[in-house]
Amino acid sequence: MATGATSAGGLRLLPAWPRRYLIAAVVAAWVLLWVFLQGRDTFQLGGAELTPLHVRVNEASEVIDNSRNENPFFLYFINYIRLFLDEFVTFVQAMISQPSFGRPLPVVGWLGVVAVATAIALLWGNLRVALLTAIGFASFGLLGLWEESMDTLALTLAAVAISLLIGIPLGVWAGVNDRFNRLVTPLLDFMQTMPTFVYLAPLTLFFLIGPASATVATVIYAVPPTIRITAHGIREVRPATLEASTSLGATAWQSLRKVRIPLAKRTIIVGVNQTIMAALCMVTIAALIDAPGLGKTVVKALETLDVGGAFNAGLAIVVMAIVLDRVTSAAGRRVETRDRAGLSRGAGRRRAEIGAVLAVTGVLVYLSHIYVWAAEFPGEANVGRYVRQGVDAATLWAQDNLAVYTGAFRNAVSYGLLNPFEALLTDSPWWLVGAVLIAFAAILTNVRVVFVTAVCVALLVVLGLWQDSMVTLASTLVATVLVMGLGVVFGVWMGRSDRVDQLVRPVLDAGQTMPPFVYLVPILGLFGATRITAIIAAVVYAAPVAVKLTADGIRGVAPSAVEAATAAGSSTWQLITKVQLPMARGALTLAAGQGLIYVLAMVVVGGLVGAGALGYDVVAGFSQLQLRGKGLAAGVAIVVLGIMLERITRAAARRADAEAHGLR
């Protein structure tokens, strides 16, 4: 029987048992060399220092800025796109949030917006969702954030409209054309794994700071789910159904229009739901490049450490996410129910219901257009100040009474994990760290990934941000360790108990749909502006996906193996540690890889609350022109780190999964 396996890259791989010893040997050699070589060739760079590369990027940025109204590429392409996007977003804002067309108020006031949103929820969902929508939209005004909320909604709607116009046709094409699907899949993988904040800096170089750059960034982030899920829905149509339509003489176009797309409607609506959630998440993040709305309020509050103000705006973001998610989910369920059971009510009754709802909505929209009381949310109803005061009081109480516990946790993470990792990475010579990374890739993966790792190490050196990259890598590794700790504990618990899964999974789903800025608010109140705050926020953001993947891996262990171990007298602890976790090794490795990517996606957010390193470099590049080159280089460095870590962990996960299933 063979003792090794040959990977796709062609490298003869070793069995699992010597691989553990090889990794331990590499780490031991690394620590030993670090003792004698620490402080050499570390490429330290101060916060305001620039390398020649950064200076050249600054100069290139200035050339682009100066040629914006002369270069044909800008004159006849980029500038028109920017103008269209700015005007489109401005038009939507004029309808629901900003003074417009010579009026001191928007075209549709608060009462009309609430009425339209409630009508959509009622007609496409049900009465319960409509009530939730009405309460949710009214809460924006009660929190004193009506205009900011409508700005966020306007930018989200504009980005979603563009994403659907692009994504649904491409998704249909990918669903019917295997060649195009194979071509577009790697691009979608790259768009979804690249940290979201990295889009922002280069986009501002072409589209300037403002709604246009924010819209483009949001579309880049939100369009992949539309394409993927639409293509999946088109491909899932049963071949027998397609054969029946063909036998009846339907052309390929007729089969697509009258069979495939109608049968995939439920799946397409799921894609719309995911696109809306992704767009809302990115719109709040795009506040870093002056996108209007609630995100800007959160960023300003974080910069001034105003926990109450940040919480108030974060609460509005959460409410908006919940409402939009429930409305689109209810619409999908309604479509599925109608397709399975036919029209549940008579056509006449349905038309009467639609007519009544539209009539009432039209009256309320008219009132909101004509009368100030229906257009401008009453200021005396503002309860947001009480929310802010309550949160500030709770924050002070927590800081006074929980300081012992938060301080102990902060010290444990700092001195037990972060400082040792950071010292080992930042004080080692760059060539030693590079050799260790390449050695890990060789032990865990294949020749192709080894080559990618070597290229990524070289790029980090060339970008001139080696020291900051190592600080970021240390924080990422520490956060990933914490993520996997939570992933294993809760994942095993969920995988072994259906009841626990039913209780915990909705919480994880909510955590994944909540915009990242919201996580920072309570954590900032407890821990202040420190790097531990950024690590905890990254853990909260990444833990749900790690828990889910671990739970699925535990649940996927063959029941016969579990029964055999139980029959042999294994205790619960032995069953978990000797059977289920080893056999779910592929899922655990995949969970670690996805956790790394999700943690890395929070690097720039961490830069807002004291994390420093690459995140701070990107944020500084937005706000200081002289550091723009360094900020752009930092964004590229984050992408390079992400690619390297993603390739290593993905290849290691495939290998672990193959070994777990006995492919020796």
Side-chain angles (χ1 to χ4, degrees):
M1 183 175 177
T3 59
T6 303
S7 73
L11 182 66
R12 188 71 176 175
L13 301 177
L14 295 170
W17 63 268
R19 194 166 66 246
R20 292 196 294 269
Y21 294 117
L22 284 173
I23 292 174
V26 169
V27 172
W30 182 14
V31 173
L32 182 63
L33 289 172
W34 171 80
V35 172
F36 296 100
L37 299 173
Q38 57 180 307
R40 302 180 187 178
D41 301 328
T42 57
F43 293 148
Q44 293 188 17
L45 192 69
E49 291 184 69
L50 302 177
T51 67
L53 175 64
H54 304 158
V55 174
R56 286 195 293 270
V57 174
N58 279 342
E59 293 171 350
S61 301
E62 291 177 4
V63 170
I64 291 175
D65 286 336
N66 295 333
S67 64
R68 193 174 301 278
N69 295 319
E70 300 172 1
N71 191 308
F73 177 67
F74 282 94
L75 279 176
Y76 303 111
F77 184 64
I78 295 295
N79 287 353
Y80 277 108
I81 295 177
R82 178 168 59 84
L83 180 63
F84 167 75
L85 293 176
D86 282 338
E87 291 296 327
F88 185 32
V89 174
T90 301
F91 173 76
V92 182
Q93 287 180 293
M95 297 301 294
I96 62 175
S97 67
Q98 294 293 329
S100 58
F101 308 115
R103 291 165 48 89
L105 295 167
V107 174
V108 182
W110 75 270
L111 186 62
V113 172
V114 173
V116 171
T118 305
I120 292 173
L122 183 60
L123 295 177
W124 284 92
N126 52 55
L127 184 60
R128 181 181 300 174
V129 175
L131 182 60
L132 172 66
T133 302
I135 295 173
F137 270 71
S139 71
F140 302 146
L142 294 174
L143 292 172
L145 295 168
W146 178 261
E147 183 176 314
E148 293 86 347
S149 300
M150 291 304 100
D151 281 336
T152 295
L153 182 62
L155 191 53
T156 301
L157 293 177
V160 168
I162 296 172
S163 298
L164 297 181
L165 285 174
I166 296 172
I168 290 179
L170 291 180
V172 171
W173 189 8
V176 300
N177 189 308
D178 291 336
R179 180 177 297 178
F180 178 72
N181 185 58
R182 289 194 298 270
L183 179 67
V184 77
T185 297
L187 178 61
L188 298 179
D189 290 340
F190 180 74
M191 292 167 67
Q192 289 190 295
T193 56
M194 185 164 60
T196 55
F197 304 95
V198 178
Y199 310 147
L200 303 182
L203 286 176
T204 58
L205 196 59
F206 291 95
F207 296 98
L208 300 179
I209 288 177
S213 292
T215 304
V216 174
T218 304
V219 169
I220 292 173
Y221 184 62
V223 79
T226 306
I227 299 174
R228 284 187 187 277
I229 297 174
T230 300
H232 175 73
I234 295 295
R235 285 195 301 270
E236 286 297 300
V237 176
R238 295 180 180 178
T241 305
L242 297 176
E243 291 171 3
S245 66
T246 303
S247 66
L248 293 174
T251 63
W253 170 248
Q254 289 173 327
S255 178
L256 175 64
R257 185 166 57 89
K258 296 186 177 182
V259 179
R260 285 188 180 227
I261 292 178
L263 290 177
K265 278 191 298 185
R266 169 75 175 100
T267 305
I268 292 173
I269 292 176
V270 172
V272 173
N273 172 273
Q274 293 301 302
T275 298
I276 291 174
M277 293 296 100
L280 180 59
C281 176
M282 191 64 194
V283 161
T284 57
I285 292 168
L288 290 170
I289 53 174
D290 203 34
L294 294 166
K296 184 182 292 187
T297 305
V298 175
V299 169
K300 289 181 178 178
L302 291 176
E303 290 174 346
T304 58
L305 299 183
D306 179 10
V307 178
F311 180 88
N312 195 44
L315 181 60
I317 294 171
V318 172
V319 170
M320 186 175 294
I322 292 173
V323 169
L324 294 178
D325 176 64
R326 294 298 184 270
V327 171
T328 50
S329 298
R333 289 193 297 270
R334 187 183 187 103
V335 167
E336 184 177 24
T337 302
R338 186 178 60 191
D339 289 345
R340 287 181 178 180
L343 293 176
S344 59
R345 303 177 184 175
R349 183 177 178 181
R350 178 61 177 169
R351 283 196 294 269
E353 178 187 273
I354 294 174
V357 171
L358 293 180
V360 173
T361 303
V363 170
L364 295 178
V365 168
Y366 176 77
L367 292 175
S368 73
H369 180 74
I370 298 297
Y371 297 103
V372 174
W373 63 267
E376 186 175 14
F377 203 93
E380 59 272 14
N382 183 358
V383 299
R385 58 180 177 272
Y386 301 113
V387 173
R388 292 191 293 271
Q389 292 170 2
V391 171
D392 287 336
T395 300
L396 290 175
W397 179 90
Q399 290 173 345
D400 292 338
N401 294 274
L402 302 179
V404 175
Y405 306 104
T406 57
F409 178 80
R410 182 171 59 245
N411 292 335
V413 174
S414 295
Y415 295 110
L417 290 173
L418 184 56
N419 290 350
F421 268 126
E422 190 172 306
L424 189 60
L425 285 166
T426 58
D427 291 344
S428 296
W430 70 268
W431 50 265
L432 177 58
V433 177
V436 169
L437 292 172
I438 292 171
F440 284 162
I443 294 169
L444 295 172
T445 61
N446 54 54
V447 169
R448 185 179 302 169
V449 178
V450 170
F451 175 75
V452 171
T453 303
V455 171
C456 290
V457 169
L459 286 174
L460 291 176
V461 174
V462 171
L463 289 169
L465 293 169
W466 179 264
Q467 187 81 358
D468 285 353
S469 298
M470 292 302 100
V471 173
T472 296
L473 180 59
S475 298
T476 301
L477 292 176
V478 168
T480 304
V481 169
L482 298 176
V483 165
M484 286 309 299
L486 293 173
V488 170
V489 172
F490 286 94
V492 170
W493 195 17
M494 288 173 60
R496 290 174 54 83
S497 171
D498 291 337
R499 179 176 297 178
V500 173
D501 185 271
Q502 292 173 357
L503 292 174
V504 176
R505 192 169 291 269
V507 178
L508 300 179
D509 292 339
Q512 284 188 289
T513 58
M514 195 180 300
F517 275 165
V518 179
Y519 303 133
L520 286 176
V521 179
I523 300 169
L524 182 66
L526 286 174
F527 294 92
T530 66
R531 55 184 182 168
I532 300 300
T533 300
I535 289 175
I536 297 174
V539 170
V540 176
Y541 183 61
V545 68
V547 172
K548 285 183 178 182
L549 289 172
T550 303
D552 291 341
I554 295 295
R555 195 174 291 107
V557 174
S560 57
V562 176
E563 292 171 1
T566 303
S570 297
S571 64
T572 301
W573 176 252
Q574 291 173 325
L575 184 63
I576 293 172
T577 57
K578 302 295 185 181
V579 179
Q580 291 178 310
L581 285 177
M583 295 189 72
R585 187 167 50 197
L588 291 173
T589 309
L590 180 61
Q594 289 299 299
L596 274 169
I597 299 302
Y598 274 67
V599 167
L600 201 58
M602 288 289 286
V603 164
V604 178
V605 172
L608 294 172
V609 291
L614 294 178
Y616 173 80
D617 293 335
V618 173
V619 174
F622 291 143
S623 57
Q624 304 177 50
L625 288 178
Q626 69 272 21
L627 297 179
R628 178 187 283 182
K630 191 174 185 178
L632 289 169
V636 176
I638 294 172
V639 174
V640 170
L641 277 177
I643 291 173
M644 180 176 67
L645 295 173
E646 191 269 340
R647 293 293 184 274
I648 292 174
T649 53
R650 179 183 290 186
R654 285 198 298 265
R655 180 175 177 177
D657 190 58
E659 290 175 349
H661 288 84
L663 299 179
R664 299 284 181 175

